[in-house]
């Protein structure tokens, strides 16, 4: 019942009616027309009732000092104004407070645009294929492994894998990528993304309630409900400021003998701006981040990110693409070109299920090389493979592909030149597959993970913000050192087990550092939880890593890390400025109230003006540009195509 009354009185129509009654009261007073009931009393009832109900509820439901709230102080001021017979002042205070509340709601609603976009993009139904015909079904009817058809222009209903067709997918709402991504058979697609061109059939991999889009919506909504440390401090300060305001009002009354000044003190002292400074800034920043494909789960995470001075990176899937590709093809025999070595090796490896063999085979296919038929294929687990192929002279030759030990065991001599090359590649963090033809070592194929092009510039940007980068990886020391040098990271901890990554973070925290951990795998989850802030690479990261993290990047674009740091820094600074500004306005308004410069009416105007100013400053975070495109840093980039040393 009380909720319905409050909602009715807080509506736009009732607020306009309240303002009209205040205006009518002012006109009648100016014309010195006496009426039985002052119209301002209607404003007191309409705009004052929700304030008084809110104050009573907090007195009943909250504990300890939290019972004392801003609405309680406003209620006391309203009642005090009525008791001294200033109905117009009481009505105007109530109306201005209601108007300020309405403006605050309209302003803070802008900070939720990112969330609304996510919700609005939730599809309502999907087209399921059954017996070569399609039927439209509700989202909650879609099951894992259902085959769904998505036509051009339609929203993809749930996460899945393309099994037929190809298209360009607009993933901006999930990953923040501005351009559509070309996708074909075998590629993953996400709920809420838009199929721009061709018709595709997908096999559902998740039910709709567990899709990536619904997970994003839950994360962002949960973030709104989690208070940041500064917000909790502000709420606590407000609880103590209310009794202080009452004490100052009492002192002002006894010092001046003017009850109006005491009432004005109560009005201007209300700490609304102080309480609003943090949540409005947090909501605006979360909305801004959502637009850029960064999901922040809580205000606390955002605030802590602004204080981070050390960022620890996992290597695989974070600084690198997380998949092996051919980096070098080296022929050691003048009779065989690099492409000959690659083609022969790929031919034998085509029958292997080993990831290294698949990477070589895929690279040869990308270069459109012709593969030979293989006979008598044999695989030696953990060492290599062999088979018979036709080569230049059309004779069948035995091809050996594997590690150094495998070739030696089969009677192949490895020259000192070849050993030097293998060592050089090992220093660069590369894995070498050696190829031999009839017991002669003829070539080396080196495979490597690929450093992301943005890694070096990202690290340099962080250093410019006085943030220290650290590499925490399970890779061997040489590989770690090579990739760290490419990314301009000097602090390296390699060959770490998951628990050792946790220990490394704890050690940094014990040194007084505020640590952020960035990772993508299941093994990173403990470190993500231990760090002050955990960031998961959402696009390719595991569900466990995303759940453990405080922030998720919905694409693999690590250039968003400096953006996130700048956004967090700006949010913390905005909160501090908002709190300082609100305290300054309150301090000046109290002095002016005691001196009699402000009245209850003008005091209400000053109070709401301060609140509105603080909210507007915070809301500006939503549209500010935090990208740093002023610098073009040419970092060392590794060519993804085959090269020759």
């Amino acid at each position: 019942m009380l909720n319905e009354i409050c909602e009715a009185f807080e509506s736009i129509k009732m607020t306009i009616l309240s303002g009209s009654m205040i205006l009518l009261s002012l006109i009648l007073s100016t014309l010195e027309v006496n009426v039985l009931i002052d119209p301002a009393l209607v404003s007191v009832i309409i705009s004052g009732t929700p304030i008084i109900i809110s104050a009573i509820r907090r007195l009943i439901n909250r504990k300890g000092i939290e019972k004392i709230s801003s609405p309680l102080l406003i209620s006391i001021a309203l009642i005090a104004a009525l008791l001294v017979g200033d109905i117009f002042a009481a009505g105007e205070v109530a109306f201005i407070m209601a108007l300020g509340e309405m403006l605050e709601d309209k302003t803070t609603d802008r900070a939720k645009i990112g969330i609304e976009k996510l919700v609005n993009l939730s599809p309502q139904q999907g087209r399921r294929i059954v017996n070569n015909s399609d039927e439209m079904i509700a989202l909650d009817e879609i099951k894992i492994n259902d085959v769904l058809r998505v036509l051009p222009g339609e929203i993809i209903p749930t996460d899945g894998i393309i099994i037929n067709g190809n298209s360009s997918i607009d993933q901006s709402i999930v990953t923040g990528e501005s351009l559509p991504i070309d996708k074909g058979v075998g590629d993953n697609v996400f709920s809420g993304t838009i199929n721009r061109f061709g018709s595709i059939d997908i096999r559902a991999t998740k039910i709709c309630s567990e899709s990536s889009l619904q997970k994003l919506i839950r994360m962002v909504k949960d973030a709104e409900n989690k208070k940041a440390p500064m917000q909790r401090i502000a709420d606590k300060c407000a609880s103590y400021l209310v009794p202080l305001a009452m004490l100052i009002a009492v002192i002002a009354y006894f010092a001046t003998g003017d009850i109006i000044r005491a009432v004005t003190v109560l009005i201007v002292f209300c700490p609304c701006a102080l309480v609003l400074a943090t949540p409005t800034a947090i909501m605006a920043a979360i909305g801004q981040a959502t637009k850029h494909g960064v999901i922040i789960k809580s205000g606390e995470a955002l605030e802590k990110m602004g204080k981070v001075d050390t960022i620890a990176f996992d290597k695989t899937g974070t600084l690198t693409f997380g998949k092996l590709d051919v980096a070098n093809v080296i022929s050691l025999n003048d009779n065989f070109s690099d492409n000959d070595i690659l083609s022969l090796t790929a031919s034998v490896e085509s029958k292997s299920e080993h990831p290294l063999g698949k990477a070589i085979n895929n690279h040869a296919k990308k270069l459109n090389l012709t593969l030979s038929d293989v006979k008598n294929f044999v695989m030696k687990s953990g060492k290599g493979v062999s088979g018979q192929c036709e080569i230049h002279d059309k004779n069948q030759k035995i091809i050996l592909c594997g590690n150094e030990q495998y070739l030696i065991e089969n009677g192949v001599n490895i020259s000192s030149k070849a050993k030097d090359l293998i060592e050089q590649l090992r220093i660069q963090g590369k894995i070498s597959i050696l190829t031999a033809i009839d017991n002669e070592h003829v070539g080396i194929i080196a495979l490597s993970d690929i450093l992301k092009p943005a890694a070096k510039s990202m690290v340099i940007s962080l250093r410019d913000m006085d943030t220290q980068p650290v590499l925490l990886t399970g890779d061997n020391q040489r590989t770690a050192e090579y990739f760290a040098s490419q990314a301009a990271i000097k602090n390296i901890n390699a060959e770490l087990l998951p628990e050792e990554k946790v220990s490394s973070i704890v050690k940094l925290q014990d040194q007084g550092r505020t640590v952020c951990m960035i990772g993508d795998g299941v093994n990173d989850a403990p470190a993500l939880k231990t760090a002050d802030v955990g960031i998961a690479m959402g696009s390719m990261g595991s569900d466990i890593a995303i759940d453990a993290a405080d922030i998720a990047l919905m694409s693999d674009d690590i250039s968003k890390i400096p953006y996130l740091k700048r956004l967090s820094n700006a949010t913390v600074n905005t909160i501090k400025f908002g709190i300082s500004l609100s305290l300054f306005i309150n301090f000046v308004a109290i002095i002016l109230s005691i001196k009699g410069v402000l009245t209850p009416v003008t005091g209400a105007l000053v109070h709401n003006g301060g609140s509105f100013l603080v909210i507007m400053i915070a809301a500006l975070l939503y549209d500010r540009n935090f990208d740093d495109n002023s610098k073009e840093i040419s970092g060392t980039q590794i060519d993804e195509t085959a090269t020759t040393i």
Side-chain angles (χ1 to χ4, degrees), residues 392-412:
H392 298 324
D393 56 8
K394 302 299 182 182
N395 292 326
Q396 294 283 335
K397 300 287 186 179
I398 297 176
I399 313 296
L400 299 173
C401 307
N403 58 30
E404 189 174 346
Q405 181 184 357
Y406 179 62
L407 266 63
I408 292 173
E409 287 177 357
N410 283 275
V412 179

Side-chain angles (χ1 to χ4, degrees), residues 333-391:
N333 187 311
D334 293 338
N335 294 322
F336 298 95
S337 67
D338 292 348
N339 280 350
D340 289 337
I341 298 298
L342 180 59
S343 177
L344 284 170
T345 307
S347 297
V348 180
E349 293 286 5
S350 66
K351 294 187 176 293
S352 170
E353 291 299 316
H354 195 280
L356 296 180
K358 287 186 175 181
I360 292 172
N361 196 256
N362 290 336
H363 192 75
K365 287 180 179 178
K366 281 194 292 185
L367 298 179
N368 295 317
L369 298 182
T370 301
L371 303 186
S372 304
D373 292 331
V374 178
K375 298 177 181 178
N376 301 323
F377 174 80
V378 177
M379 182 174 70
K380 188 80 170 179
S381 180
K383 293 186 178 181
V385 296
S386 67
Q388 286 183 313
C389 291
E390 285 187 359
I391 56 173

Side-chain angles (χ1 to χ4, degrees), residues 456-475:
K456 186 173 183 179
S457 59
M458 177 269 297
V459 167
I460 293 173
S461 293
L462 290 175
R463 277 218 192 90
D464 289 343
M465 290 183 277
D466 296 323
T467 305
Q468 176 186 338
V470 177
L471 179 62
L472 302 181
T473 179
D475 279 350

